[in-house]
């Protein structure tokens, strides 16, 4: 089977992508330092795929360990690079932690791809590179704005590093995937989002509130210039997002790419406000969300959602699951997660 190295493959999107790679006959080689995940995720991946997925535990900021691992798997057809810290708020408080980890890991991955002739890279980028766009929906040619956080800046720098690298090493091709808001969980409830401590993101905060772990959801801002005053995002089911990664590696493997570094927006093209998400959650689960509208969170943008035409056309991919599917799968996962804890 064709190996694909998946860095950060024990994370939320990485684990779902490892499953979809295996479903398509690839052999995912997961690299993770478990700094933001747990070994139980590997059990989930193996149960879903009925395989024994290879897991290499080390830190990608260690160039020697990275080179050693890439030599061992030099027959891989590509790398999907998820490994990075991703908490926007934490990145503001600990910028060096984010720059060192996210940038050094990427540089080590690129160096070892080059020295081991691994030809294809998929980079986990983000809609945060756009900041607050002047025009919506966002296309891939929407101007990149000054990042709102060191985390967002590491994604902008990462795309530029890859650009410069593939321009001088044209035997390597890359696709940067700009995610909008990934939510939900695999329908097996064997893998899903595992927030560390108090969730930063909306969906896990909602599911923990409804489960009784949190007292109430604070809705950040009720007076944005939107249909109901709350901020708008493009939420996408994590399984739809994972499938887009398989389509992307297939595109490079078959050399269908039209440039040595391509960019695709991965969203649904639909913007939902926070209150829309709460309503969808209540409709899909029959459970009530206890919330209070409070002040805006600094660094948040008012509204961002994707124009997905380029991704739909060039990847032959379109998000299929709707907001009720997403919120229901997130709740089913929260219930399963806590039932196994008790
Ligand atoms: C969504 C909306 C909040 C929590 C995230 C990642 C970022 C990128 C995109 C990958 C906002 C509101 C949230 C809460 C709330 N992903 N909210 N109460 O900020 O859009 O960015 O997805 O790269 O890295 O951080 O996602 O889920 O934090 O917020 O009202 O307790 O929900 O204000 O409008 P965000 P989020």
């Amino acid at each position: 089977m064709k190996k694909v190295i998946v860095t950060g493959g024990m994370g939320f999107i990485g684990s779902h992508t490892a499953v979809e790679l295996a479903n398509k006959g690839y052999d995912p080689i997961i690299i993770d330092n478990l700094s933001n995940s747990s070994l139980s995720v590997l059990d989930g991946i193996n149960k879903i795929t009925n395989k024994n997925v290879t897991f290499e535990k080390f830190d990608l900021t260690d160039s020697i360990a990275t080179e050693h691992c890439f030599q061992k798997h030099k027959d891989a057809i590509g790398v999907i690079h998820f490994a990075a810290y991703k908490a926007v708020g934490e990145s503001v408080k600990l910028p060096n932690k984010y720059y060192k980890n996210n940038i050094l890991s990427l540089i080590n991955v690129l160096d070892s791809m080059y020295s081991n002739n691994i030809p294809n890279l998929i980079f986990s980028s983000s809609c945060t590179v756009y900041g607050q766009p002047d025009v919506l929906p966002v296309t891939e040619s929407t101007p990149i704005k000054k990042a709102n956080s060191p985390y967002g800046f590491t994604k902008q720098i990462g795309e530029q590093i890859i650009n410069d690298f593939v321009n001088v090493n044209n035997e390597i091709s890359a696709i940067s995937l700009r995610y909008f808001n990934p939510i939900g969980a695999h329908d097996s409830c064997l893998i899903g989002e595992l927030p560390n401590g108090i969730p930063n993101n909306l969906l896990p905060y909602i599911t923990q509130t409804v489960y009784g772990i949190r007292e109430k959801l604070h809705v950040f801002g009720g007076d944005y210039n939107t249909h109901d005053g709350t901020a708008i995002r493009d939420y996408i089911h994590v399984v739809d997002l994972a499938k887009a990664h398989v389509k992307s590696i297939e595109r490079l493997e078959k050399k269908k790419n039209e440039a040595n570094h391509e960019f695709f927006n991965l969203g649904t093209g639909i913007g939902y406000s926070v209150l829309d998400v709460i309503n969808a959650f209540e409709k899909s689960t029959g459970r009530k969300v206890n919330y209070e509208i409070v002040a805006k969170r600094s660094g948040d943008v008012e509204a961002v959602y994707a124009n997905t035409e380029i991704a739909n056309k060039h990847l032959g991919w379109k998000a299929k699951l709707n907001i009720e599917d997403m919120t229901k799968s997130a709740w089913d996962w929260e219930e399963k997660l806590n039932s196994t804890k008790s």
Side-chain angles (χ1 to χ4, degrees), residues 93-291:
K93 294 183 196 119
L94 299 169
N96 275 13
K97 173 182 175 182
Y98 276 67
Y99 290 130
K100 181 176 176 190
N101 182 64
N102 293 9
I103 303 303
L104 186 51
S105 298
L106 172 62
I107 290 170
N108 287 342
V109 164
L110 290 171
D111 281 348
S112 289
M113 283 182 69
Y114 178 72
S115 54
N116 292 285
N117 303 309
I118 298 174
N120 302 308
L121 172 68
I122 308 300
F123 177 60
S124 166
S125 190
S126 167
C127 64
T128 45
V129 301
Y130 298 116
Q132 174 55 64
D134 298 329
V135 178
L136 288 170
V138 174
T139 70
E140 286 80 356
S141 46
T142 294
I144 301 297
K145 281 193 171 176
K146 185 177 178 325
N148 289 2
S149 68
Y151 161 79
F153 195 31
T154 66
K155 292 302 181 184
Q156 289 180 352
I157 303 171
E159 289 188 359
Q160 188 55 55
I161 288 170
I162 291 165
N163 237 27
D164 297 340
F165 182 85
V166 298
N167 282 340
V168 289
N169 301 295
N170 50 26
E171 63 277 20
I172 292 181
S173 298
I175 291 176
S176 286
L177 297 175
R178 292 171 177 168
Y179 310 154
F180 284 70
N181 287 55
I183 61 172
H186 193 266
D187 58 13
S188 64
C189 288
L190 289 169
I191 53 175
E193 196 164 1
L194 285 171
N196 241 339
I198 301 173
N200 295 297
N201 295 131
L202 178 64
L203 243 296
Y205 208 103
I206 288 177
T207 57
Q208 288 192 10
T209 299
V210 175
Y211 201 84
I213 299 167
R214 308 287 161 205
E215 194 233 331
K216 76 168 111 171
L217 169 72
H218 295 105
V219 174
F220 299 136
D223 58 353
Y224 282 106
N225 183 19
T226 62
H227 62 280
D228 62 15
T230 62
I232 289 173
R233 297 290 186 275
D234 184 332
Y235 297 92
I236 178 171
H237 198 293
V238 64
V239 172
D240 275 330
L241 190 65
K243 288 178 176 172
H245 288 74
V246 181
K247 289 285 191 181
S248 298
I249 201 78
E250 284 171 346
R251 178 177 173 84
L252 294 184
E253 188 189 1
K254 292 171 185 159
K255 302 196 183 309
K256 289 192 172 170
N257 52 306
E258 294 163 6
N260 56 6
H261 187 192
E262 294 180 309
F263 303 84
F264 297 116
N265 284 341
L266 297 185
T268 64
I270 306 169
Y272 286 107
S273 72
V274 177
L275 291 180
D276 290 337
V277 174
I278 291 170
N279 294 335
F281 181 91
E282 293 183 342
K283 185 175 165 211
S284 66
T285 64
R287 311 296 295 255
K288 284 300 283 173
V289 180
N290 177 24
Y291 70 88

Side-chain angles (χ1 to χ4, degrees), residues 16-63:
H16 286 81
T17 300
V19 165
E20 296 308 324
L21 283 167
N23 289 348
K24 282 285 187 177
Y26 289 101
D27 177 14
I29 307 294
I30 291 178
I31 294 174
D32 206 298
N33 65 2
L34 296 182
S35 65
N36 192 18
S37 182
S38 86
L39 211 46
S40 64
V41 173
L42 188 61
D43 295 338
I45 294 169
N46 288 339
K47 278 195 189 115
I48 295 168
T49 59
N50 198 23
K51 293 177 187 306
N52 225 342
V53 170
T54 304
F55 169 50
E56 308 275 8
K57 182 178 181 296
F58 68 92
D59 193 312
L60 286 158
T61 57
D62 177 341
S63 59

